[in-house]
Amino acid sequence: MIIVMEKGADKTDLDAVEQKIVELGYQPHVIYGETRNVVGAVGEERGKEKLQILQSMRGVENVVPILKPYKLASLEVQPEPSAVEIVPGLAVGGKEFVVVAGPCAVEGREQICETAEAVKKSGARALRGGAYKPRTSPYSFQGMEEDGLKLLAEARDLTGLPIVTEVVNPRDVELVAKYADVMQVGARNTQNFALLKMLGQLDKPILLKRGMSTTIQEFLMSAEYVLSEGNRRVILCERGIRTFETATRNTLDISAVPVLKQQTHLPVMIDPSHATGHASLIAPMSYAAAAAGADGIIVEVHPHPEKAASDGPQSLRPEAFDSMMMQLRKFAEVAGRIMAE
Ligand code: PEP
Ligand code: MN
């Protein structure tokens, strides 16, 4: 249910509503608006009619059911887009088109620092790099684990770029959170609800990737798992879905961007690297992302793709990344966005 407060409602009214929601066995989530506040009351669907009693409380204008199965992610609860702050001065979902770049995996000090410096010079705003790699084969490189996280922290010290890195196992959440600025959930974990619930208890932004066979609704339900635990900082990321097509690694569902924008206030990014699997397709898909209204991209860049421990064929060389960034700026501008210098 959504409890719409009157324009003139004060803090005492809001507190009383929150308290009543708790008494009725639901969790209140206050969304502070410019002119009025609303409170989302989420919990058990069955018996939620009892929340109608809130209608008679002081300061309450209306109590309306949330029609969508996802609640806190929906535009019904929050019609304005969310700008998710990564670090002070950098948000995804605002005016800026944010580019996150870096290698698939952290492989060593020189590799990650060299990449970080290069992508920063070209205008990337955050550094990506996996220290825990969810590989399809157990015999493939699995990542440098904590040593990789330490190297990411060194690269952050060197460049000032915040770090986006994946947590694969719920057991590692605390450790990864010690180093990461943004916790990434990979496509293979989109519906790992135990992991999502843990991430919902963190005070850190979550980059939630779409599973390779999750529908938009299932994707939003996954976001809801994080939101309902109290963490409001969720960024969605479309990274291609499984289809019959084999010319590309996955099929980039570019329409997911406007579809999501019609259903949620959460920011949406595109990962053109995992979506296509080919370095030559990264630039056109990144331009398409900007044109479709995405809030940013996350892209793989490696100084020597031929030597990469993982995903070399879909990694851009720093020079190719740099020229793409110059073009991308123009697409972002046409889409009403700005990119940092
Ligand atoms: C990644 O970004 O490192 C990754 C493994 O991507 P995905 O989870 O989308 O396959
Ligand atoms: Mn990769």
Coordinates of all heavy atoms in Angstrom, one line a residue, residues 98-168:
V98 N 27.0 8.1 -17.0 CA 28.2 7.6 -16.3 C 28.9 6.4 -16.9 O 28.2 5.4 -17.2 CB 27.8 7.2 -14.8 CG1 29.0 6.6 -14.0 CG2 27.3 8.5 -14.1
V99 N 30.2 6.5 -17.2 CA 30.9 5.4 -17.8 C 31.8 4.7 -16.7 O 32.6 5.4 -16.1 CB 31.7 5.8 -19.0 CG1 32.5 4.7 -19.6 CG2 30.8 6.5 -20.1
V100 N 31.6 3.4 -16.6 CA 32.4 2.6 -15.7 C 33.2 1.7 -16.6 O 32.7 1.1 -17.5 CB 31.5 1.7 -14.8 CG1 32.4 0.8 -13.9 CG2 30.6 2.5 -14.0
A101 N 34.5 1.7 -16.4 CA 35.4 0.9 -17.3 C 36.5 0.2 -16.6 O 36.9 0.6 -15.5 CB 35.9 1.8 -18.4
G102 N 37.0 -0.9 -17.2 CA 38.1 -1.6 -16.6 C 38.1 -3.0 -17.1 O 37.2 -3.4 -17.8
P103 N 39.1 -3.8 -16.6 CA 39.2 -5.2 -17.1 C 38.1 -6.1 -16.6 O 37.5 -5.8 -15.6 CB 40.6 -5.6 -16.6 CG 40.8 -4.8 -15.4 CD 40.1 -3.5 -15.6
C104 N 37.9 -7.2 -17.3 CA 37.0 -8.2 -16.7 C 37.5 -8.6 -15.3 O 36.7 -8.5 -14.4 CB 37.0 -9.4 -17.7 SG 35.9 -10.7 -17.1
A105 N 38.8 -9.0 -15.3 CA 39.3 -9.4 -14.0 C 40.6 -8.7 -13.6 O 41.3 -8.3 -14.5 CB 39.6 -10.9 -14.1
V106 N 40.8 -8.5 -12.3 CA 42.1 -8.0 -11.9 C 43.1 -9.1 -12.0 O 42.9 -10.2 -11.6 CB 42.0 -7.6 -10.4 CG1 43.3 -7.0 -9.9 CG2 40.9 -6.6 -10.1
E107 N 44.2 -8.8 -12.7 CA 45.2 -9.8 -13.0 C 46.6 -9.5 -12.3 O 47.4 -10.4 -12.2 CB 45.4 -10.0 -14.5 CG 44.2 -10.5 -15.2 CD 44.2 -10.3 -16.7 OE1 45.3 -9.9 -17.3 OE2 43.2 -10.4 -17.4
G108 N 46.8 -8.2 -12.0 CA 48.1 -7.9 -11.4 C 48.1 -6.4 -11.2 O 47.2 -5.6 -11.7
R109 N 49.1 -5.9 -10.4 CA 49.2 -4.5 -10.1 C 49.3 -3.6 -11.4 O 48.6 -2.6 -11.6 CB 50.4 -4.2 -9.2 CG 50.6 -2.7 -8.8 CD 51.6 -2.5 -7.8 NE 51.2 -2.9 -6.5 CZ 51.7 -3.9 -5.8 NH1 52.7 -4.6 -6.3 NH2 51.3 -4.3 -4.6
E110 N 50.3 -4.0 -12.2 CA 50.5 -3.2 -13.4 C 49.3 -3.1 -14.3 O 48.9 -2.0 -14.8 CB 51.7 -3.8 -14.2 CG 52.3 -2.8 -15.1 CD 53.5 -3.5 -15.9 OE1 54.3 -4.2 -15.3 OE2 53.5 -3.2 -17.1
Q111 N 48.7 -4.3 -14.5 CA 47.5 -4.3 -15.4 C 46.4 -3.4 -14.9 O 45.8 -2.6 -15.6 CB 47.0 -5.8 -15.5 CG 45.7 -5.9 -16.2 CD 44.6 -6.5 -15.4 OE1 44.6 -6.4 -14.1 NE2 43.5 -7.0 -16.0
I112 N 46.1 -3.5 -13.6 CA 44.9 -2.7 -13.1 C 45.2 -1.3 -13.0 O 44.4 -0.4 -13.3 CB 44.3 -3.3 -11.8 CG1 42.9 -2.7 -11.5 CG2 45.2 -3.2 -10.6 CD1 41.8 -3.1 -12.4
C113 N 46.5 -0.9 -12.6 CA 46.8 0.5 -12.4 C 46.9 1.2 -13.8 O 46.4 2.3 -14.0 CB 48.1 0.6 -11.6 SG 47.8 0.2 -9.9
E114 N 47.5 0.5 -14.7 CA 47.6 1.0 -16.1 C 46.3 1.2 -16.7 O 46.0 2.3 -17.3 CB 48.4 0.0 -16.9 CG 48.8 0.5 -18.3 CD 49.5 -0.6 -19.1 OE1 50.1 -1.6 -18.6 OE2 49.5 -0.5 -20.4
T115 N 45.4 0.3 -16.5 CA 44.0 0.4 -17.1 C 43.3 1.6 -16.4 O 42.6 2.4 -17.1 CB 43.2 -0.9 -16.9 OG1 44.0 -2.0 -17.3 CG2 41.9 -0.9 -17.7
A116 N 43.4 1.6 -15.1 CA 42.7 2.7 -14.3 C 43.1 4.1 -14.8 O 42.3 4.9 -15.0 CB 43.0 2.5 -12.8
E117 N 44.4 4.2 -15.0 CA 44.9 5.5 -15.4 C 44.4 5.9 -16.8 O 44.0 7.0 -17.1 CB 46.5 5.6 -15.3 CG 46.9 5.7 -13.9 CD 48.4 5.9 -13.7 OE1 49.2 5.1 -14.4 OE2 48.8 6.8 -13.0
A118 N 44.4 4.9 -17.7 CA 44.0 5.1 -19.1 C 42.5 5.4 -19.1 O 42.1 6.4 -19.8 CB 44.3 3.9 -19.9
V119 N 41.7 4.7 -18.5 CA 40.3 4.9 -18.6 C 39.9 6.2 -17.9 O 39.0 6.9 -18.4 CB 39.4 3.7 -18.1 CG1 39.6 2.5 -18.9 CG2 39.5 3.5 -16.6
K120 N 40.6 6.6 -16.9 CA 40.3 7.8 -16.2 C 40.6 9.0 -17.2 O 39.8 9.9 -17.3 CB 41.1 8.0 -15.0 CG 40.9 9.4 -14.4 CD 41.3 9.6 -13.0 CE 40.9 11.0 -12.6 NZ 41.3 11.3 -11.3
K121 N 41.7 8.9 -17.9 CA 42.1 9.9 -18.8 C 41.1 10.1 -19.9 O 40.8 11.2 -20.4 CB 43.5 9.6 -19.5 CG 44.4 10.8 -19.6 CD 45.8 10.4 -19.8 CE 46.0 10.2 -21.3 NZ 47.1 9.3 -21.6
S122 N 40.4 9.0 -20.3 CA 39.4 9.1 -21.3 C 38.0 9.5 -20.8 O 37.1 9.7 -21.6 CB 39.3 7.8 -22.0 OG 40.5 7.4 -22.5
G123 N 37.9 9.7 -19.5 CA 36.6 10.2 -19.0 C 35.8 9.1 -18.2 O 34.6 9.4 -17.9
A124 N 36.3 8.0 -17.9 CA 35.6 7.0 -17.1 C 35.5 7.6 -15.7 O 36.4 8.3 -15.2 CB 36.2 5.6 -17.1
R125 N 34.4 7.3 -15.0 CA 34.1 7.8 -13.7 C 34.3 6.8 -12.6 O 34.2 7.1 -11.4 CB 32.7 8.4 -13.7 CG 32.5 9.6 -14.6 CD 33.1 10.8 -14.1 NE 32.1 11.5 -13.3 CZ 32.4 12.3 -12.3 NH1 33.7 12.5 -11.9 NH2 31.4 12.9 -11.6
A126 N 34.3 5.5 -13.0 CA 34.6 4.5 -12.0 C 35.3 3.3 -12.6 O 35.3 3.2 -13.9 CB 33.3 4.0 -11.4
L127 N 36.0 2.6 -11.8 CA 36.8 1.5 -12.3 C 36.1 0.1 -12.0 O 35.7 -0.1 -10.9 CB 38.2 1.5 -11.6 CG 39.2 0.4 -11.9 CD1 39.6 0.4 -13.4 CD2 40.3 0.4 -10.9
R128 N 36.0 -0.7 -13.0 CA 35.5 -2.0 -12.8 C 36.6 -3.0 -12.8 O 37.7 -2.8 -13.3 CB 34.4 -2.5 -13.8 CG 34.9 -2.6 -15.3 CD 34.1 -3.7 -16.0 NE 34.5 -5.0 -15.5 CZ 33.7 -6.1 -15.5 NH1 32.5 -6.0 -15.9 NH2 34.1 -7.2 -15.0
G129 N 36.4 -4.2 -12.2 CA 37.4 -5.3 -12.2 C 37.0 -6.3 -11.3 O 36.6 -6.1 -10.1
G130 N 37.0 -7.6 -11.7 CA 36.5 -8.7 -10.9 C 37.7 -9.3 -10.1 O 38.7 -9.5 -10.7
A131 N 37.4 -9.5 -8.8 CA 38.4 -10.2 -8.0 C 37.9 -11.6 -7.7 O 38.6 -12.5 -7.4 CB 38.6 -9.5 -6.7
Y132 N 36.6 -11.8 -7.8 CA 35.9 -13.1 -7.7 C 35.2 -13.2 -9.1 O 34.3 -12.5 -9.4 CB 34.9 -13.1 -6.6 CG 35.6 -12.9 -5.2 CD1 35.9 -11.7 -4.7 CD2 35.9 -14.1 -4.5 CE1 36.5 -11.5 -3.5 CE2 36.6 -13.9 -3.2 CZ 36.8 -12.6 -2.8 OH 37.5 -12.5 -1.5
K133 N 35.6 -14.2 -9.8 CA 35.0 -14.4 -11.2 C 34.1 -15.6 -11.2 O 34.5 -16.7 -10.9 CB 36.1 -14.6 -12.2 CG 37.0 -13.4 -12.4 CD 36.3 -12.1 -12.7 CE 35.4 -12.1 -13.9 NZ 34.7 -10.9 -14.1
P134 N 32.8 -15.4 -11.5 CA 31.9 -16.5 -11.6 C 32.0 -17.2 -13.0 O 31.3 -16.9 -13.9 CB 30.5 -15.8 -11.5 CG 30.8 -14.4 -12.1 CD 32.2 -14.1 -12.0
R135 N 33.0 -18.1 -13.2 CA 33.2 -18.6 -14.5 C 32.3 -19.8 -14.8 O 32.0 -20.6 -13.9 CB 34.7 -19.0 -14.6 CG 35.7 -17.9 -14.3 CD 35.5 -16.7 -15.1 NE 35.6 -16.9 -16.5 CZ 36.8 -17.0 -17.1 NH1 37.9 -16.9 -16.5 NH2 36.8 -17.2 -18.4
T136 N 32.1 -19.9 -16.1 CA 31.2 -21.0 -16.5 C 31.9 -22.4 -16.3 O 31.3 -23.4 -16.0 CB 30.9 -20.8 -18.0 OG1 30.2 -19.6 -18.2 CG2 30.0 -21.9 -18.5
S137 N 33.2 -22.4 -16.4 CA 34.0 -23.6 -16.2 C 34.8 -23.5 -14.9 O 35.4 -22.5 -14.6 CB 35.0 -23.9 -17.3 OG 36.0 -24.8 -16.9
P138 N 34.7 -24.6 -14.1 CA 35.5 -24.5 -12.8 C 37.0 -24.6 -13.0 O 37.8 -24.3 -12.1 CB 35.0 -25.8 -12.1 CG 34.5 -26.7 -13.1 CD 34.0 -25.8 -14.2
Y139 N 37.4 -24.9 -14.3 CA 38.8 -24.9 -14.6 C 39.4 -23.6 -15.1 O 40.6 -23.4 -15.4 CB 39.1 -26.0 -15.7 CG 38.5 -27.3 -15.2 CD1 37.5 -28.0 -16.0 CD2 38.9 -27.9 -14.0 CE1 36.9 -29.2 -15.5 CE2 38.3 -29.1 -13.6 CZ 37.4 -29.7 -14.3 OH 36.8 -30.9 -13.9
S140 N 38.5 -22.6 -15.3 CA 38.9 -21.3 -15.8 C 39.4 -20.4 -14.6 O 39.0 -20.7 -13.4 CB 37.8 -20.5 -16.5 OG 37.3 -21.3 -17.5
F141 N 40.2 -19.4 -14.9 CA 40.7 -18.5 -13.9 C 39.5 -18.0 -13.0 O 38.6 -17.4 -13.5 CB 41.4 -17.3 -14.6 CG 41.8 -16.2 -13.8 CD1 42.7 -16.4 -12.7 CD2 41.4 -14.9 -14.0 CE1 43.2 -15.3 -12.0 CE2 41.8 -13.8 -13.2 CZ 42.7 -14.0 -12.2
Q142 N 39.7 -18.1 -11.7 CA 38.6 -17.7 -10.8 C 38.7 -16.4 -10.1 O 37.9 -16.0 -9.3 CB 38.5 -18.8 -9.7 CG 38.2 -20.2 -10.2 CD 36.8 -20.5 -10.7 OE1 35.8 -20.2 -10.1 NE2 36.7 -21.0 -11.9
G143 N 39.8 -15.7 -10.4 CA 40.0 -14.4 -9.8 C 41.1 -14.4 -8.7 O 41.4 -15.4 -8.2
M144 N 41.6 -13.2 -8.4 CA 42.7 -13.1 -7.4 C 42.2 -12.9 -6.0 O 42.9 -12.8 -5.1 CB 43.6 -11.9 -7.7 CG 44.4 -12.0 -9.0 SD 45.4 -10.6 -9.3 CE 46.7 -10.8 -8.0
E145 N 40.8 -12.9 -5.8 CA 40.2 -12.8 -4.5 C 40.7 -11.6 -3.7 O 40.9 -10.5 -4.3 CB 40.3 -14.2 -3.8 CG 39.8 -15.3 -4.7 CD 39.7 -16.6 -4.1 OE1 40.4 -16.9 -3.0 OE2 39.0 -17.4 -4.6
E146 N 41.0 -11.8 -2.4 CA 41.3 -10.6 -1.7 C 42.5 -9.8 -2.2 O 42.6 -8.6 -2.1 CB 41.5 -10.9 -0.2 CG 41.6 -9.6 0.6 CD 41.5 -9.8 2.1 OE1 41.5 -10.9 2.6 OE2 41.5 -8.7 2.8
D147 N 43.5 -10.5 -2.7 CA 44.7 -9.8 -3.3 C 44.2 -8.9 -4.4 O 44.7 -7.8 -4.6 CB 45.7 -10.8 -3.9 CG 46.4 -11.6 -2.8 OD1 46.4 -11.1 -1.6 OD2 47.0 -12.6 -3.1
G148 N 43.2 -9.4 -5.2 CA 42.6 -8.5 -6.3 C 41.9 -7.3 -5.7 O 42.0 -6.2 -6.3
L149 N 41.2 -7.5 -4.6 CA 40.5 -6.3 -4.0 C 41.5 -5.3 -3.5 O 41.3 -4.1 -3.7 CB 39.7 -6.8 -2.8 CG 38.5 -7.8 -3.1 CD1 37.9 -8.3 -1.8 CD2 37.5 -7.0 -4.0
K150 N 42.7 -5.8 -3.0 CA 43.7 -4.9 -2.5 C 44.3 -4.1 -3.7 O 44.6 -2.9 -3.5 CB 44.8 -5.7 -1.8 CG 44.4 -6.2 -0.4 CD 45.5 -6.8 0.3 CE 45.0 -7.3 1.7 NZ 45.7 -8.5 2.2
L151 N 44.5 -4.7 -4.8 CA 45.0 -4.0 -6.0 C 44.0 -3.0 -6.5 O 44.4 -1.9 -6.9 CB 45.4 -5.0 -7.1 CG 46.6 -6.0 -6.7 CD1 46.8 -7.0 -7.8 CD2 47.8 -5.2 -6.4
L152 N 42.7 -3.4 -6.4 CA 41.7 -2.4 -6.8 C 41.8 -1.1 -5.9 O 41.7 0.0 -6.4 CB 40.3 -3.0 -6.7 CG 39.9 -3.9 -7.9 CD1 38.6 -4.7 -7.5 CD2 39.7 -3.2 -9.2
A153 N 42.0 -1.4 -4.6 CA 42.1 -0.3 -3.7 C 43.3 0.6 -4.0 O 43.3 1.8 -3.9 CB 42.1 -0.8 -2.3
E154 N 44.4 -0.1 -4.4 CA 45.6 0.7 -4.8 C 45.3 1.6 -6.1 O 45.7 2.7 -6.2 CB 46.7 -0.3 -5.2 CG 47.5 -0.7 -4.0 CD 48.8 -1.5 -4.4 OE1 49.4 -1.1 -5.4 OE2 49.1 -2.5 -3.7
A155 N 44.6 1.0 -7.0 CA 44.2 1.7 -8.2 C 43.3 2.9 -7.9 O 43.4 3.9 -8.5 CB 43.6 0.8 -9.3
R156 N 42.5 2.7 -6.9 CA 41.6 3.8 -6.5 C 42.4 4.9 -5.9 O 42.2 6.1 -6.2 CB 40.5 3.3 -5.5 CG 39.7 4.4 -4.8 CD 38.6 3.9 -3.9 NE 39.2 2.9 -3.0 CZ 38.4 2.0 -2.4 NH1 37.2 1.9 -2.7 NH2 39.0 1.2 -1.5
D157 N 43.4 4.5 -5.0 CA 44.3 5.5 -4.4 C 45.0 6.3 -5.5 O 45.2 7.5 -5.4 CB 45.3 4.9 -3.5 CG 44.6 4.3 -2.2 OD1 43.4 4.7 -2.0 OD2 45.2 3.5 -1.5
L158 N 45.4 5.6 -6.5 CA 46.2 6.2 -7.6 C 45.4 7.2 -8.4 O 45.9 8.2 -8.8 CB 46.8 5.1 -8.4 CG 47.7 5.4 -9.6 CD1 49.1 5.8 -9.0 CD2 47.9 4.2 -10.5
T159 N 44.2 6.8 -8.7 CA 43.4 7.6 -9.7 C 42.2 8.4 -9.1 O 41.7 9.3 -9.7 CB 42.8 6.7 -10.8 OG1 42.0 5.7 -10.1 CG2 43.9 5.9 -11.5
G160 N 41.8 8.0 -7.9 CA 40.6 8.6 -7.3 C 39.3 7.9 -7.9 O 38.2 8.3 -7.5
L161 N 39.4 7.0 -8.8 CA 38.2 6.3 -9.3 C 37.6 5.4 -8.3 O 38.3 4.5 -7.8 CB 38.5 5.5 -10.6 CG 38.9 6.3 -11.8 CD1 39.3 5.3 -13.0 CD2 37.9 7.3 -12.3
P162 N 36.3 5.5 -8.0 CA 35.6 4.5 -7.2 C 35.6 3.1 -7.8 O 35.7 3.0 -9.1 CB 34.2 5.1 -7.0 CG 34.0 6.1 -8.0 CD 35.4 6.6 -8.4
I163 N 35.5 2.1 -7.1 CA 35.6 0.7 -7.5 C 34.2 0.0 -7.6 O 33.5 0.0 -6.6 CB 36.5 -0.1 -6.6 CG1 37.9 0.4 -6.7 CG2 36.4 -1.5 -6.9 CD1 38.8 0.0 -5.6
V164 N 34.0 -0.6 -8.7 CA 32.8 -1.5 -8.9 C 33.4 -2.9 -9.0 O 34.1 -3.2 -9.9 CB 32.0 -1.1 -10.2 CG1 30.8 -2.0 -10.3 CG2 31.7 0.3 -10.2
T165 N 33.0 -3.8 -8.1 CA 33.5 -5.2 -8.2 C 32.4 -6.2 -7.7 O 31.6 -5.8 -6.9 CB 34.8 -5.3 -7.4 OG1 35.5 -6.5 -7.8 CG2 34.6 -5.3 -5.9
E166 N 32.5 -7.4 -8.3 CA 31.5 -8.4 -8.0 C 31.7 -9.2 -6.8 O 32.8 -9.6 -6.4 CB 31.4 -9.3 -9.2 CG 30.3 -10.4 -9.1 CD 30.0 -11.2 -10.3 OE1 30.5 -10.8 -11.4 OE2 29.2 -12.1 -10.2
V167 N 30.5 -9.4 -6.1 CA 30.6 -10.4 -5.0 C 29.8 -11.6 -5.5 O 28.6 -11.5 -6.0 CB 30.0 -9.8 -3.7 CG1 28.6 -9.3 -3.8 CG2 30.1 -10.8 -2.5
V168 N 30.4 -12.8 -5.4 CA 29.8 -14.0 -6.0 C 29.1 -14.8 -4.9 O 28.0 -15.4 -5.1 CB 30.8 -14.8 -6.7 CG1 30.3 -16.1 -7.2 CG2 31.4 -14.0 -7.9

